[in-house]
Amino acid sequence: MHLYLHVPFCQRRCSYCDFSIAVRQRIPVGEYVNAVLTELRSADPGPAARGGDLATIYFGGGTPSLLPPDAITSLLREVLRSADPGPAARGERIEVTLEANPEDVTPEHARAWRAAGINRVSLGAQSFDDTVLQWMHRSHGAARIGAAMHALRGAGIEDISLDLIFALPEELQRDWERDLDMALALRPTHLSLYGLTVEPRTPLDRWISRGATHPPDEERYAEEYLIAHRRLTTEGYEFYEVSNASLPGFRSRHNSAYWSGRPYVGLGPAAHSFDGTTRRWNLRAWEAYRRAIAEGCSAVESKEVLTDEQKEMEAIYLGLRTVEGVPFAAVSPRRPSPPPGLDHGERRQA
Ligand code: SF4
């Protein structure tokens, strides 16, 4: 069982972001924790949320690091209490990830997260250039990234992923190779690299509409991706998924579950759950989610039941994002044979 908790709060909206977030200067901590725990205890997420072997827990957002550490401790304690103790009893490590913004990572917070059970942190670094970070509306400066990693390691959290965004508009004159050098000098265990995309109704979309900036160009996108691929591979990282690279033994087990079609349960606004056949998702807006739970109603907005063909298509497009690819034998025999002339290895991955 893989569990995702969506923490929707951010202190401002980044220029490119269209995620389901609630911008708040004061986080309604008590209401959030109560709502999520009520959802956990209800029948809505299905029995898997309250039983089943718990392999990974992921606090995503939004900005989960805005929650005070004692709220994270309460959530984790309740989640672990509700789950089958199987993996822990067998001495297996449950991967517990917290997404964090660098400015929230202090030595005190890092120690409290570690004590609560967090053993992996995904840091939203994005760039090591202060001008770029301001353009993105990020609330941290470049110097905070190294300080955050130092604090996490000091607290005993060694498994640290850095997010970086590439293919920025040319006029920013972002030095992508310098950013990669800065990131690699910190030796994270994992890197997630995302090309900038322009989502409707974001500040970036509006800037482009009025000609204040340019959309990212495809040549730059390809060039910077390939630079990163070469650079990280040389440094011992493996691109195990198209946007994700890790040192050996440090793949994200949680995200790997999504790419391999395994069941998961999502709690919180906009969270998705999947049992292998049915996918359902919660109300997107925090207020609507909070109200539904407070009124004793279901937080589920809608669901879809996948046909066999849809399952097969998902297995193919998700599998093709990963280094494992898709075994040809897993593809329906209705599909054409692989083209002649491929050797055995290429046929296996076709
Ligand atoms: S911190 Fe993350 S979730 Fe929040 S606005 Fe920025 S990109 Fe979006």
Side-chain angles (χ1 to χ4, degrees):
M1 207 270 276
H2 303 272
L3 181 68
Y4 175 81
L5 292 102
H6 188 74
V7 186
F9 310 109
C10 291
Q11 285 188 321
R12 60 169 107 168
R13 185 176 283 277
C14 298
S15 58
Y16 50 85
C17 179
D18 76 334
F19 292 168
S20 172
I21 61 163
V23 176
R24 296 282 188 281
Q25 291 313 308
R26 198 189 64 79
I27 309 300
V29 179
E31 280 181 298
Y32 173 77
V33 171
N34 284 339
V36 167
L37 292 183
T38 304
E39 190 188 1
L40 174 73
R41 292 183 198 115
S42 76
D44 262 351
R50 290 168 291 133
D53 272 7
L54 190 59
T56 67
I57 303 172
Y58 195 103
F59 288 87
T63 312
S65 55
L66 285 176
L67 287 178
D70 56 352
I72 293 171
T73 305
S74 305
L75 286 167
L76 268 178
R77 192 188 308 122
E78 288 303 312
V79 162
L80 291 169
R81 191 178 290 159
S82 72
D84 189 313
R90 292 194 296 273
E92 292 167 18
R93 171 181 178 266
I94 299 177
E95 178 188 278
V96 188
T97 304
L98 179 83
E99 284 184 355
N101 277 347
E103 71 272 22
D104 298 329
V105 187
T106 61
E108 297 72 37
H109 281 183
R111 281 195 294 273
W113 294 339
R114 185 71 197 96
I118 302 290
N119 51 30
R120 183 173 184 275
V121 167
S122 174
L123 268 185
Q126 317 310 358
S127 173
F128 289 81
D129 178 329
D130 282 329
T131 308
V132 167
L133 290 169
Q134 282 163 18
W135 179 86
M136 291 176 172
H137 289 177
R138 300 294 302 187
S139 42
H140 66 276
R144 286 295 309 160
I145 303 166
M149 291 197 64
H150 186 70
L152 291 168
R153 286 179 173 142
I157 301 176
E158 300 288 341
D159 194 356
I160 305 169
S161 179
L162 291 184
D163 283 1
L164 293 176
I165 299 182
F166 64 95
L168 302 180
E170 190 171 1
E171 60 267 25
L172 279 172
Q173 299 197 326
R174 190 267 195 93
D175 186 338
W176 176 231
E177 295 197 49
R178 176 182 175 274
D179 267 359
L180 288 174
D181 286 343
M182 301 280 284
L184 289 169
L186 295 171
R187 204 63 183 163
T189 51
H190 188 283
L191 283 141
S192 297
L193 308 178
Y194 300 110
L196 183 70
T197 52
V198 185
E199 305 296 346
R201 294 180 295 283
T202 55
L204 176 60
D205 184 36
R206 289 193 287 277
W207 297 344
I208 291 172
S209 305
R210 64 169 191 260
T213 190
H214 295 91
D217 98 8
E218 288 192 8
E219 289 296 320
R220 172 184 295 273
Y221 194 108
E223 187 185 325
E224 292 191 356
Y225 181 83
L226 290 172
I227 288 171
H229 202 284
R230 273 194 294 272
R231 187 83 175 77
L232 268 60
T233 306
T234 308
E235 295 283 338
Y237 291 82
E238 178 199 29
F239 269 82
Y240 66 102
E241 196 266 352
V242 69
S243 299
N244 289 278
S246 76
L247 292 174
F250 288 99
R251 292 183 179 195
S252 162
R253 286 165 55 203
H254 186 85
N255 289 336
S256 297
Y258 295 145
W259 302 319
S260 55
R262 287 201 287 277
Y264 50 85
V265 170
L267 301 174
H272 285 54
S273 302
F274 182 56
D275 65 5
T277 299
T278 302
R279 179 176 292 117
R280 55 185 172 187
W281 51 94
N282 283 350
L283 294 157
R284 263 178 78 87
W286 155 245
E287 276 304 325
Y289 169 85
R290 183 196 63 75
R291 233 182 356 257
I293 298 275
E295 290 168 1
C297 303
S298 166
V300 175
E301 181 181 76
S302 194
K303 65 178 181 180
E304 62 179 351
V305 180
L306 300 187
T307 63
D308 287 346
E309 192 170 356
Q310 285 172 317
K311 284 188 207 170
E312 188 179 332
M313 290 305 291
E314 288 203 358
I316 292 170
Y317 78 71
L318 290 172
L320 289 178
R321 292 185 64 91
T322 68
V323 73
E324 280 76 27
V326 180
F328 196 74
V331 179
S332 158
R334 295 190 309 275
R335 313 242 176 256
S337 304
L342 294 183
D343 70 24
H344 176 72
E346 288 167 319
R347 275 171 173 268
R348 198 168 48 80
Q349 293 287 336

